[in-house]
Amino acid sequence: MGLGCRPGPWRAGWRLQGRARSIQRWDIRHPTETWLLGLRPACRCRLARLLSGPSAAREIQKLCDRVASSTLLDDRRDAVRALKSLSKKYRLEVGIQAMEHLIRVLQTDRSDSEIIGYALDTLYNVISNDLEEEEQEENVPKQVDDLGSQFTEIFIKQQENVTLLLTLVEEFDFHVRWPGVKLLTSLLKQQGPQVQQIILVSPMGVSRLMDLLADSREVIRNDGVLLLQQLTKSNAAIQKIVAFENAFERLLDIITEEGNSDGGIVVEDCLLLLQNLLKNNNSNQNFFKEGSYIQRMKPWFEVGDDNCGWSAQKVTNLHLMLQLVRVLVSPTNPPGATSSCQKAMFHCGLLQQLCTILMATGVPADILTETINTVSEVIRGCQMNQDYFASVNAPSNPPRPAIVVLLMSMVNERQPFVLRCAVLYCFQCFLYKNQKGQGEIVSTLLPSTIDATGNSVSAGQLLCGGLFSTDSLSNWCAAVALAHALQENATLKEQLLRVQLATSIGNPPVSLLQQCTNILSQGSKVQTRVGLLMLLCTWLSNCSIAVTHFLHNPANVPFLTGQIAENLGEEEQLVQGLCALLLGISIYYNDNSLENYRKEKLKQLIEKRIGRENFIEKLGFISKHELYSRAAQKPQPSFSSPDHMMFDHEFTKLVKELEGVISKAIYKSSEEDKKEEEVKKTLEQHDNIVTHYKKVIREQDQELEELKQRINTLTSQNEQLQATVTQQVSQIQQHKDQYNLLKVQLGKDTQHHNSHSDALQVNGIQVEEVSKLKEELEEWKNKHELLQGQLREKDSLIEKLTSAAVGMGTAEQSSQTSKSGGLEHNNDLQKELEVLRSQVQLQSAEIFKLQMENQKLQLTSTSADAAVADGATAANSPGLEGRLEQEIKDLKSELKALSEEKESLKQHLDSSSSTVAILQDEKSKLQREVAESKKEQDDLLVLLADQDQKLSALKVTLKDLGVPVEDEDDIESGDQGDEDEDGDEEEQD
């Protein structure tokens, strides 16, 4: 290997392969670097070791001096390129000596994209902790892990450096943009929170990076996705900005372009970024839902019939897609947001698609497990989704409900542990706040609903089979599942007491409750006993009848006290705590119906055999257990091994609720228990009253809704009628206009055309109609005069009443109030009469108008007679006849309208007469009140006279006794003076 060999020619260029995913870069290399690359890997390794140490540091120092002092751009470019070639081998030396010079190059040589690209690559090699595969194969010693973090801290110490890097990322030149993206991604990996804060406060910092997703060069777009992954980690503010910069739309487009679940690693990166944006971010979840992006997730889960040969990347992609669905419906999200996402997934068909995968064959086990967990959270607490899931059938012959198929997997000990946990979680979510589903499960256990033929297996039979099998994990899962079927449902707890089990041939059946206690007393595995005790505690809590049935067996209480009183190992402490909880529930919910097991006797038994302090200590073993704390964290059962499967999440809530009240109940006396029972009865009565009123309010709400609907319908009908009236009024106006036009045309026709026989016939009809109209007009006049007379009589009567009311103005204050009411009523009546007068005047004007029209018609008829005398032709007589008939019809319609108005006037007059009668009654009442007030005044005057006489007699007596007494005249003069002063003050006011 001659060190004096000359280098080959310099080479430059780019080569893109495979849709720009894999890029091989041929850099403009230094001659020494080109020569080094020509050597074998082993020789290069030896030469690197020879150059390491003082010689390498001197070479790097010379290159840094060239970058700092050279005036020619070519020299600086060559020096930076040489630093780049040394930056991987001598990362520490290049980082210490060259970082400042490289940053200065980024600031000053912006015009040359080549030197900027070299500088960015060098900084990336120094800061990044990722080593090349070739170096790993050659066993080159690795730098310490925190070296990149230290160099990153130096780089971001000046925030202007990150801002400068953001401006470089905006450049479209590939040589600048791509290394800038990689360098910024590495900075975020090393010092994420600090770099995030700098980008967040930088103007349009996040928006600049969002443009990377729109780059047509896939390699930059894909690395931009990786950059945004690091940028959005654990920063809600940046997550919101990225989401509102249309990130969801762009990422979903990329996933669709890449082939959804069949895509490559780009789909995986996009899904990870979507998880960063949505997880624990309620604002982005709401934006995702309202933007209708949930609907775009449905094609992800369209799996074909041929499910053989799933690639590892497809499994990874589908796993991340399922996790993204779970992020939107996680139980830790706000209930309202979760519910709206669940409904959207049902309406768009996403839940149906997930159930299809659930029942499909050939699906990998881990995908099937995650699908079960996803379906669980999509249906949890949503009645609509739970009802749909209950209707799903497996593609078997005969078809079986999906719930039954899943329960068969849960109680089958050959199935994987994680799959059985997922099925249990699915069953729990199906029953969560689903009383209908709970009733359906329990009904399969009742004697009246069990299939007599035995052809089909029900959910209840599977649970009982798992509850009493030899596999302890099946016992535990079946007990927890059955406990969820009874959760917060006292009715089903009572119904489950009817379940009878046939233990063996020839022996009588025993109840399910008794069989559970029998298995407990037999001393089975700890996991089995824990599951049965959790089932019994859930069953007996808040159900006095179940407590009575439990205590009716004389062996149960001695067994519990014996278990609690013994000093056992750590494994049995959990069982002791659960036995103490079960005994405490039997005391707290005891209705004292059994004489031998009343509350007070059970407390005495605990005091004698166990001790209260010891009982409370054993009860506290439950909440202090490590597995209890794990189960209380989240609803999904997640255990590292079957041995750790001890507690259920819902049961931890029950323990937290009952532990305190049971401790108090143990120390309470019988008197306190009686008081508490009375309080409970009072509360129950109060609850019944509240329930009754709630029912009444609910009924009133329904009636109110019905009335509102009626109001809406009547309002719409009213609007339609008003529109019809408006239309008819416009039609009437048009007819009037046509009528006036016909009258004008009739005058012209009678002047220019003469007719003999036809005209005589037409005019004869017109004269008859005119005479009828005259008679009707005369009748209207008479009626009008009659109405006016009636109105005058009413006016005179009202004036008399008004004057009489005014004359009673000297009555007492109480009568003035009623009088003012009467006057107001009179005023209203006067206003109403004024309206009636105005209507009568309008009718008079209308009658006058008709009279004028009648006169015009008479003139027209005379002119027509004259035309007949002249003997003119009758060419247009048929048209004239039709017009006259139309005019007659119009006049009849107007007379009909006048008659209707006449009826309305009559109604108004009747109402006014009734009002007058009411006023007369009020007048008589006022007169009676005035008479009574006068009588009271007379009585008061008599009393005052008696008092004056008594006062004068007393004064005389006092004067005789020598007591100075003021005279009455002096008192009156003083009172007069005070009245004068009060009068002056009132005048001033």
Side-chain angles (χ1 to χ4, degrees), residues 386-503:
Q386 289 167 341
D387 292 342
Y388 170 76
F389 185 70
S391 65
V392 175
N393 288 324
S396 59
N397 191 16
R400 289 178 176 174
I403 298 173
V404 173
V405 175
L406 291 174
L407 287 177
M408 292 172 69
S409 301
M410 186 185 73
V411 297
N412 186 356
E413 55 185 316
R414 300 176 188 175
Q415 294 293 338
F417 172 66
V418 290
L419 179 64
R420 297 174 74 179
C421 292
V423 173
L424 176 62
Y425 183 48
C426 183
F427 190 73
Q428 292 173 352
C429 292
F430 170 69
L431 298 179
Y432 183 71
K433 293 183 179 179
N434 183 11
Q435 293 188 353
K436 179 182 176 183
Q438 289 176 325
E440 291 174 354
I441 296 298
V442 173
S443 66
T444 58
L445 288 166
L446 299 179
S448 59
T449 56
I450 295 177
D451 186 8
T453 61
N455 294 329
S456 62
V457 180
S458 66
Q461 292 172 346
L462 288 171
L463 290 177
C464 283
L467 194 62
F468 308 122
S469 70
T470 57
D471 179 30
S472 61
L473 185 59
S474 298
N475 301 153
W476 191 92
C477 292
V480 171
L482 195 56
H484 276 263
L486 304 175
Q487 200 79 34
E488 298 179 359
N489 198 326
T491 304
L492 295 181
K493 291 177 182 179
E494 296 176 6
Q495 290 184 3
L496 199 63
L497 296 171
R498 297 164 46 202
V499 176
Q500 299 290 323
L501 301 176
T503 55

Side-chain angles (χ1 to χ4, degrees), residues 331 380-381 424-425 427-429 431-433 438 476 479-488 534-535 537-538 541 581 627-628 630-637 639 646-658:
R380 187 177 190 268
L424 176 62
Y425 183 48
F427 190 73
Q428 292 173 352
C429 292
L431 298 179
Y432 183 71
K433 293 183 179 179
Q438 289 176 325
W476 191 92
V480 171
L482 195 56
H484 276 263
L486 304 175
Q487 200 79 34
E488 298 179 359
M534 286 195 297
L535 171 60
C537 290
T538 306
S541 64
L581 179 65
L627 298 177
Y628 174 89
R630 290 183 188 176
Q633 292 176 359
K634 57 181 181 179
Q636 182 182 359
F639 305 98
M646 289 293 178
F647 285 107
D648 172 56
H649 178 75
E650 292 297 327
F651 181 73
T652 60
K653 294 181 180 179
L654 181 66
V655 172
K656 182 183 279 188
E657 178 185 351
L658 293 178

Side-chain angles (χ1 to χ4, degrees), residues 195-337:
V195 181
Q196 285 174 342
Q197 192 62 30
I198 296 171
I199 295 174
L200 190 60
V201 299
S202 177
M204 300 293 292
V206 180
S207 300
R208 295 176 187 176
L209 300 178
M210 284 299 300
D211 294 337
L212 297 173
L213 295 181
D215 200 304
S216 58
R217 295 161 293 192
E218 292 186 6
V219 63
I220 293 180
R221 184 202 66 184
N222 298 342
D223 282 349
V225 173
L226 297 175
L227 170 61
L228 290 173
Q229 276 185 27
Q230 300 297 328
L231 181 65
T232 55
K233 278 185 178 180
S234 305
N235 194 310
I238 294 179
Q239 290 168 3
K240 291 178 183 178
I241 296 173
V242 172
F244 283 95
E245 288 284 346
N246 206 22
F248 293 138
E249 184 75 27
R250 297 181 185 181
L251 291 172
L252 292 174
D253 289 341
I254 294 172
I255 292 172
T256 304
E257 291 171 4
E258 295 292 330
N260 294 326
S261 60
D262 294 323
I265 196 170
V266 179
V267 174
E268 179 183 348
D269 294 336
C270 291
L271 292 170
L272 289 172
L273 178 54
L274 284 171
Q275 282 192 17
N276 286 353
L277 295 175
L278 292 172
K279 195 169 186 178
N280 299 325
N281 195 317
N282 300 329
S283 175
N284 283 2
Q285 290 175 6
N286 189 42
F287 181 69
F288 190 85
K289 176 186 69 68
E290 292 182 353
S292 300
Y293 296 121
I294 291 178
Q295 287 80 345
R296 297 188 60 178
M297 298 169 70
K298 182 187 175 184
W300 296 355
F301 306 102
E302 292 178 355
V303 181
D305 296 332
D306 187 11
N307 293 322
C308 299
W310 286 42
S311 65
Q313 188 61 57
K314 182 175 182 179
V315 171
T316 303
N317 291 344
L318 201 55
H319 198 273
L320 290 173
M321 290 172 177
L322 292 168
Q323 287 182 350
L324 191 63
V325 175
R326 294 184 64 184
V327 166
L328 295 171
V329 293
S330 173
T332 58
N333 294 342

Side-chain angles (χ1 to χ4, degrees), residues 40 123 164 172 181 186 333 343 351 374 393 477 515 525 589 604 698 700 729 739 748 863 943 966 973:
R40 291 178 297 171
L123 288 171
L164 175 63
F172 186 74
V181 170
S186 182
N333 294 342
K343 292 176 182 177
L351 175 60
T374 306
N393 288 324
C477 292
Q515 184 65 18
K525 294 181 180 180
Y589 292 104
Q604 292 175 0
R698 198 177 296 112
Q700 290 178 349
V729 168
Y739 172 69
K748 292 180 181 179
S863 61
L943 289 173
E966 294 182 358
S973 62

Side-chain angles (χ1 to χ4, degrees), residues 545-790:
I545 299 176
V547 171
T548 303
H549 278 72
F550 178 77
L551 295 176
H552 193 269
N553 186 353
N556 289 338
V557 174
F559 168 75
L560 293 178
T561 54
Q563 288 287 319
I564 299 168
E566 291 181 5
N567 292 322
L568 303 174
E570 293 183 359
E571 294 182 356
E572 296 292 333
Q573 285 183 352
L574 189 56
V575 176
Q576 286 183 321
L578 290 170
C579 288
L581 179 65
L582 182 59
L583 186 57
I585 291 172
S586 301
I587 295 173
Y588 185 72
Y589 292 104
N590 193 344
D591 58 357
N592 295 325
S593 57
L594 295 176
E595 184 63 30
N596 294 331
Y597 296 103
R598 297 174 64 86
K599 285 185 179 181
E600 194 62 32
K601 290 187 177 181
L602 290 175
K603 289 180 187 178
Q604 292 175 0
L605 185 64
I606 291 174
E607 179 68 24
K608 291 179 181 178
R609 295 191 179 181
I610 303 171
R612 292 181 180 178
E613 291 77 9
N614 191 21
F615 180 85
I616 299 300
E617 182 183 358
K618 297 293 177 67
L619 183 63
F621 285 164
I622 303 174
S623 57
K624 293 177 182 177
H625 203 280
E626 180 184 359
L627 298 177
Y628 174 89
S629 303
R630 290 183 188 176
Q633 292 176 359
K634 57 181 181 179
Q636 182 182 359
S638 56
F639 305 98
S640 58
S641 66
D643 296 335
H644 293 163
M645 211 167 185
M646 289 293 178
F647 285 107
D648 172 56
H649 178 75
E650 292 297 327
F651 181 73
T652 60
K653 294 181 180 179
L654 181 66
V655 172
K656 182 183 279 188
E657 178 185 351
L658 293 178
E659 187 176 6
V661 296
I662 289 174
S663 301
K664 292 179 182 178
I666 296 298
Y667 287 99
K668 283 181 182 178
S669 62
S670 58
E671 295 180 357
E672 291 177 345
D673 288 336
K674 290 179 181 179
K675 291 181 180 178
E676 187 175 354
E677 289 178 1
E678 292 176 359
V679 171
K680 283 184 179 179
K681 289 180 181 178
T682 306
L683 290 175
E684 289 177 358
Q685 292 176 357
H686 180 267
D687 291 339
N688 294 332
I689 294 171
V690 170
T691 305
H692 172 69
Y693 280 115
K694 283 182 179 179
K695 183 179 179 181
V696 172
I697 291 170
R698 198 177 296 112
E699 293 175 354
Q700 290 178 349
D701 287 339
Q702 292 177 357
E703 292 178 358
L704 188 61
E705 288 296 328
E706 293 176 357
L707 291 174
K708 285 181 179 179
Q709 291 177 359
R710 288 183 60 188
I711 288 170
N712 292 331
T713 54
L714 291 173
T715 304
S716 60
Q717 291 177 1
N718 186 23
E719 291 175 355
Q720 293 176 359
L721 291 173
Q722 286 180 352
T724 306
V725 168
T726 306
Q727 185 179 2
Q728 291 178 354
V729 168
S730 62
Q731 290 177 357
I732 290 170
Q733 187 63 35
Q734 291 177 1
H735 292 158
K736 285 184 179 180
D737 296 338
Q738 292 175 2
Y739 172 69
N740 295 330
L741 183 61
L742 286 172
K743 286 195 293 185
V744 174
Q745 290 178 356
L746 180 61
K748 292 180 181 179
D749 291 340
T750 52
Q751 290 177 3
H752 294 90
H753 302 286
N754 296 321
S755 60
H756 292 287
S757 58
D758 295 337
L760 286 172
Q761 183 179 1
V762 171
N763 288 330
I765 294 170
Q766 185 180 11
V767 170
E768 292 176 358
E769 294 293 333
V770 168
S771 62
K772 290 181 181 178
L773 287 172
K774 285 181 179 180
E775 293 176 358
E776 290 181 359
L777 285 173
E778 290 296 331
E779 291 179 1
W780 275 106
K781 286 181 180 178
N782 296 331
K783 292 177 181 177
H784 177 64
E785 291 175 356
L786 180 61
L787 290 173
Q788 284 183 344
Q790 292 178 356

Side-chain angles (χ1 to χ4, degrees), residues 94-261:
V94 173
I96 292 174
Q97 299 183 43
M99 181 174 287
E100 183 179 354
H101 303 293
L102 294 172
I103 294 173
R104 189 176 297 110
V105 167
L106 296 178
Q107 295 171 348
T108 57
D109 293 331
R110 293 279 301 277
S111 58
D112 187 62
S113 61
E114 194 171 357
I115 191 173
I116 295 294
Y118 291 150
L120 291 172
D121 282 333
T122 306
L123 288 171
Y124 172 73
N125 293 336
V126 169
I127 290 173
S128 176
N129 283 330
D130 300 330
L131 295 176
E132 296 291 337
E133 294 180 0
E134 183 180 354
E135 295 174 346
Q136 294 177 4
E137 291 174 359
E138 294 173 0
N139 298 320
V140 176
K142 296 182 180 181
Q143 303 286 353
V144 291
D145 292 339
D146 62 344
L147 192 59
S149 178
Q150 294 175 5
F151 282 132
T152 302
E153 189 175 352
I154 295 170
F155 184 83
I156 67 174
K157 191 172 183 180
Q158 299 294 329
Q159 296 188 6
E160 296 80 5
N161 296 338
V162 179
T163 307
L164 175 63
L165 190 55
L166 289 174
T167 59
L168 293 174
V169 169
E170 282 188 296
E171 296 289 337
F172 186 74
D173 194 330
F174 187 85
H175 300 78
V176 177
R177 196 170 204 183
W178 189 42
V181 170
K182 293 195 298 180
L183 176 57
L184 191 54
T185 304
S186 182
L187 292 174
L188 285 164
K189 285 182 180 179
Q190 304 296 338
Q191 297 287 340
Q194 293 85 345
V195 181
Q196 285 174 342
Q197 192 62 30
I198 296 171
I199 295 174
L200 190 60
V201 299
S202 177
M204 300 293 292
V206 180
S207 300
R208 295 176 187 176
L209 300 178
M210 284 299 300
D211 294 337
L212 297 173
L213 295 181
D215 200 304
S216 58
R217 295 161 293 192
E218 292 186 6
V219 63
I220 293 180
R221 184 202 66 184
N222 298 342
D223 282 349
V225 173
L226 297 175
L227 170 61
L228 290 173
Q229 276 185 27
Q230 300 297 328
L231 181 65
T232 55
K233 278 185 178 180
S234 305
N235 194 310
I238 294 179
Q239 290 168 3
K240 291 178 183 178
I241 296 173
V242 172
F244 283 95
E245 288 284 346
N246 206 22
F248 293 138
E249 184 75 27
R250 297 181 185 181
L251 291 172
L252 292 174
D253 289 341
I254 294 172
I255 292 172
T256 304
E257 291 171 4
E258 295 292 330
N260 294 326
S261 60

